[in-house]
Amino acid sequence: MIVMQYAIYGSLRKMLNSNFEKLTWHNKIKNLFYIAFGLAKIHEIGLMHKDFHSGNIVNETKTSSYITDFGLCQPVTENDPEKIYGVIPYMAPEILNTGEYTQESDIYSFGMIMYEVFTSYPPYYNIPHDEKLVILICNGHKPEIMCEIPQLLKDLMEKCWDTDPSNRPKAIELKSQLKKYSNYNYNNEIKKQIDKANEANKLNKNFIQYNPKITHPQAIYTSRHLPFLKSKKVEHDTKQWDFEIPEDII
């Protein structure tokens, strides 16, 4: 028998659905700090999570988040490009292009989690999670940002989902930055940006908190095998993915 700590708020996704309006920017940053703290621990021992999304994070409180579900967690030296699992909106373009997971791929996923915490919306909630979305992600497409985000936090988020993995910050850097931003009463610049964002969001009458009922019926937020991705060998014995492009995407 395994005894585990009870996460009263459930998954991060469930917590955002029921508590987003009550979350301050301090709450959001604190949440992300704890997630980055956990991810840094995973990366420090040479592992990668490989299935990193808001459904695999649980909340003991509105600000205490813990990473769960290590079923696909592996050393960075291990990869099986023939068996790709995941939730497409959180998967980095290099995974979808080559089938290769890295710690930098986890950072891309963290960027999508940041987007979710900041806006209340899961990425790509309103379109099918299929081959078309894979192509969009591989072409550098990002989710629409529908509300004002403090610029320092927005910059950090966008670095995480940079198309070039080498431009993404390390998990330990994310932990350090978010810890610094969480003490925004002592940081004039982030405080100014938070005040500006709060004012802009009050005036933004077009912004409505995410309602799960508007999710596209083919938006899938559980990890699954992606059988439409088929690997093929290319020059220099590397691999890339080949899948049939639907006729209506052109």
Side-chain angles (χ1 to χ4, degrees):
M1 181 174 67
I2 299 175
V3 179
M4 301 180 69
Q5 190 170 344
Y6 179 59
I8 190 169
Y9 283 88
S11 71
L12 174 64
R13 181 63 260 162
K14 288 182 179 178
M15 190 279 289
L16 292 172
N17 285 347
S18 57
N19 290 277
F20 183 78
E21 287 184 345
K22 304 172 189 174
L23 297 179
T24 65
W25 282 102
H26 180 266
N27 295 152
K28 296 172 188 177
I29 298 168
K30 204 74 173 177
N31 243 309
L32 292 167
F33 163 74
Y34 281 117
I35 299 168
F37 181 89
L39 187 61
K41 289 289 185 184
I42 294 169
H43 287 185
E44 282 168 11
I45 58 176
L47 298 176
M48 48 190 175
H49 190 280
K50 296 181 64 176
D51 192 20
F52 199 34
H53 57 85
S54 61
N56 282 343
I57 298 166
V58 295
N59 279 71
E60 181 187 11
T61 70
K62 286 186 288 187
T63 58
S64 296
S65 301
Y66 300 90
I67 300 171
T68 65
D69 198 344
F70 295 92
L72 296 177
C73 192
Q74 287 183 316
V76 293
T77 54
E78 294 184 19
N79 254 310
D80 186 355
E82 298 299 327
K83 297 179 181 179
I84 296 302
Y85 293 81
V87 180
I88 292 175
Y90 301 85
M91 297 174 74
E94 65 269 15
I95 300 174
L96 300 171
N97 270 321
T98 69
E100 296 290 332
Y101 292 92
T102 63
Q103 290 185 340
E104 288 77 16
S105 306
D106 282 345
I107 300 299
Y108 180 95
S109 303
F110 185 84
M112 290 298 162
I113 293 167
M114 291 182 76
Y115 167 85
E116 198 164 355
V117 170
F118 292 154
T119 68
S120 81
Y121 284 78
Y124 307 112
Y125 70 96
N126 57 346
I127 59 175
H129 294 176
D130 56 12
E131 295 95 329
K132 292 182 182 181
L133 178 56
V134 169
I135 294 169
L136 285 173
I137 292 171
C138 290
N139 287 336
H141 190 271
K142 303 298 188 303
E144 179 187 3
I145 299 174
M146 294 166 288
C147 62
E148 187 75 17
I149 299 172
Q151 192 62 46
L152 286 169
L153 295 173
K154 184 179 178 183
D155 289 345
L156 191 62
M157 176 182 74
E158 292 179 339
K159 285 179 182 176
C160 289
W161 66 27
D162 195 293
T163 304
D164 183 348
S166 66
N167 289 336
R168 298 171 199 158
K170 302 292 184 185
I172 194 168
E173 296 171 25
L174 290 170
K175 181 182 76 170
S176 176
Q177 285 292 98
L178 289 165
K179 182 178 181 180
K180 183 173 70 173
Y181 294 155
S182 68
N183 295 320
Y184 63 77
N185 285 330
Y186 305 98
N187 187 321
N188 286 333
E189 185 54 37
I190 191 71
K191 189 175 187 306
K192 286 178 185 176
Q193 292 182 12
I194 285 172
D195 290 342
K196 179 181 176 183
N198 284 336
E199 191 60 33
N201 289 326
K202 284 180 184 177
L203 298 173
N204 182 5
K205 296 181 180 179
N206 293 323
F207 177 74
I208 302 172
Q209 181 184 334
Y210 171 68
N211 181 347
K213 293 180 180 179
I214 66 174
T215 306
H216 193 284
Q218 293 176 347
I220 302 170
Y221 289 101
T222 53
S223 186
R224 59 186 169 128
H225 180 228
L226 302 175
F228 56 82
L229 292 175
K230 299 177 181 179
S231 64
K232 66 176 182 179
K233 287 203 171 185
V234 294
E235 292 182 7
H236 310 300
D237 292 325
T238 59
K239 288 186 177 182
Q240 69 181 25
W241 293 112
D242 187 23
F243 49 87
E244 183 177 352
I245 301 176
E247 292 180 1
D248 60 352
I249 199 170
I250 307 298

